Amino acid sequence: MEGHHRHHHHHQQQHLQQQQQPVSVNVEADRFPQWSVQETKDFLMIRAELDQSFMETKRNKLLWEVISTRMREKGYNRSAEQCKCKWKNLFTRYKGCGTVDAETVRQKFPFYDELQAIFTARMQSVLCSESEGGGATGSKKKAAQAQLSSDEEDDTEENEYSFRKKKKGKTGGGSSSKSGSINIKEMLEDFMRQQLQMEMQWREALESRENERRMKEMEWRQTMEALENERIMMERRWREREEQRRIREEARAEKRDALITALLNKLRREDQM
């Protein structure tokens, strides 16, 4: 009899639990109303404006409070925790769309473009910071590493994924840090290859111009030498003609002198006779 009583009591407890479950779900639904499309877009716009602050701040709790306040200013009653959970859910869905084509992504997840814009802007910001160099970049790297190392209030999974996907290389975990270091190394190697390729192209162009200049100079010298040889030959022929003319003139002068001398001698002999 006592065993039957226990079994009946246990069955009643299970029945009460089953009746209480939908009630709690309804209460939860009333406490957290579903996000509308426009509300989600306004939330993502605010989140995008504060993304740089999220990347530079170790503790994000105050930032989620700011987002909650700005959502209330737009007429939405959302707590900081609700905003944070919504962001994690959106990021999880965005992460799951990585291998799907663009058209299917937009049908499956209508906020893909907004999150893509946030992560693209984040990548450009980090790459610009890395290209500038200096202490400011180092402090930003340390802030990003500190952000990723906090498991209490930071979106570690989101940051690790975005850093790995966008090749930012600013993670605090062991495997993420190695992946980031490899990505930075690949970027630097690719940059150096491009620089070497540009330098080789510049050198080839310089050598080509130098060879062209040498060829033109050689052609000019050959032309000048040919002109000089022609001038020398013409001068030599002129001198030879002048020499021949002088010889002929001398020969005619001798003949004339001889003829005049013979005529004078003839005249003298005739006078003597």
Side-chain angles (χ1 to χ4, degrees), residues 51-52 55 116-130 137 140-141 144-145 147-148 158-171 176-177 179-185 187:
D51 188 68
Q52 187 65 30
M55 297 302 298
Q116 180 71 12
I118 291 175
F119 293 121
T120 300
R122 181 184 297 182
M123 179 186 68
Q124 293 175 352
S125 176
V126 174
L127 290 178
C128 289
S129 299
E130 290 177 354
T137 305
K140 289 184 178 180
K141 288 183 178 180
Q145 291 174 351
Q147 180 189 22
L148 289 174
E158 167 225 334
N159 287 313
E160 288 179 354
Y161 172 74
S162 62
F163 276 50
R164 182 172 62 254
K165 185 176 180 181
K166 305 301 181 181
K167 295 184 179 180
K168 293 181 179 180
K170 290 187 177 181
T171 59
S176 301
S177 177
S179 176
S181 300
I182 293 174
N183 289 332
I184 291 179
K185 184 178 180 181
M187 290 168 60

Side-chain angles (χ1 to χ4, degrees), residues 29-212:
D30 293 337
R31 288 175 57 193
F32 302 105
Q34 189 174 7
W35 291 65
S36 65
V37 175
Q38 186 60 44
E39 182 182 10
T40 304
K41 288 185 176 181
D42 291 339
F43 165 71
L44 288 175
M45 182 178 66
I46 297 172
R47 180 60 177 77
E49 293 175 358
L50 296 175
D51 188 68
Q52 187 65 30
S53 299
F54 273 89
M55 297 302 298
E56 296 176 352
T57 306
K58 181 178 179 181
R59 300 289 181 178
N60 293 337
K61 185 175 181 180
L62 293 178
L63 292 175
W64 289 116
E65 292 290 345
V66 171
I67 292 178
S68 176
T69 302
R70 294 184 62 176
M71 289 290 287
R72 282 196 295 270
E73 292 175 356
K74 291 181 176 292
Y76 308 114
N77 186 19
R78 297 292 180 180
S79 65
E81 187 63 27
Q82 286 177 317
C83 294
K84 183 177 179 180
C85 291
K86 182 63 175 177
W87 173 253
K88 287 185 176 181
N89 292 335
L90 290 171
F91 172 76
T92 301
R93 294 187 63 184
Y94 169 79
K95 182 179 178 181
C97 297
T99 59
V100 185
D101 60 280
E103 189 63 28
T104 307
V105 162
R106 288 172 178 81
Q107 294 177 0
K108 181 180 177 181
F109 182 44
F111 308 109
Y112 180 84
D113 291 337
E114 284 80 358
L115 272 83
Q116 180 71 12
I118 291 175
F119 293 121
T120 300
R122 181 184 297 182
M123 179 186 68
Q124 293 175 352
S125 176
V126 174
L127 290 178
C128 289
S129 299
E130 290 177 354
S131 63
E132 288 174 0
T137 305
S139 62
K140 289 184 178 180
K141 288 183 178 180
K142 291 179 181 179
Q145 291 174 351
Q147 180 189 22
L148 289 174
S149 63
S150 175
D151 294 330
E152 295 179 358
E153 298 177 11
D154 293 2
D155 302 327
T156 307
E157 182 184 5
E158 167 225 334
N159 287 313
E160 288 179 354
Y161 172 74
S162 62
F163 276 50
R164 182 172 62 254
K165 185 176 180 181
K166 305 301 181 181
K167 295 184 179 180
K168 293 181 179 180
K170 290 187 177 181
T171 59
S175 61
S176 301
S177 177
K178 292 179 180 178
S179 176
S181 300
I182 293 174
N183 289 332
I184 291 179
K185 184 178 180 181
E186 290 177 354
M187 290 168 60
L188 291 175
E189 289 178 352
D190 184 58
F191 175 76
M192 291 303 297
R193 282 196 299 268
Q194 292 179 0
Q195 291 295 319
L196 290 174
Q197 185 177 3
M198 291 175 62
E199 185 176 357
M200 288 178 63
Q201 292 176 353
W202 177 79
R203 287 183 177 179
E204 289 176 357
L206 183 63
E207 290 178 358
S208 177
R209 288 195 295 269
E210 182 66 18
N211 291 333
E212 185 178 358

Side-chain angles (χ1 to χ4, degrees), residues 260-273:
I260 292 172
T261 302
L263 289 173
L264 290 173
N265 291 332
K266 184 178 180 180
L267 290 172
R268 286 175 184 173
R269 283 194 299 268
E270 289 178 352
D271 288 342
Q272 291 176 359
M273 292 179 64

Side-chain angles (χ1 to χ4, degrees), residues 252-265:
R252 283 197 295 268
E254 290 178 356
K255 289 180 180 180
R256 185 176 62 249
D257 291 343
L259 182 58
I260 292 172
T261 302
L263 289 173
L264 290 173
N265 291 332

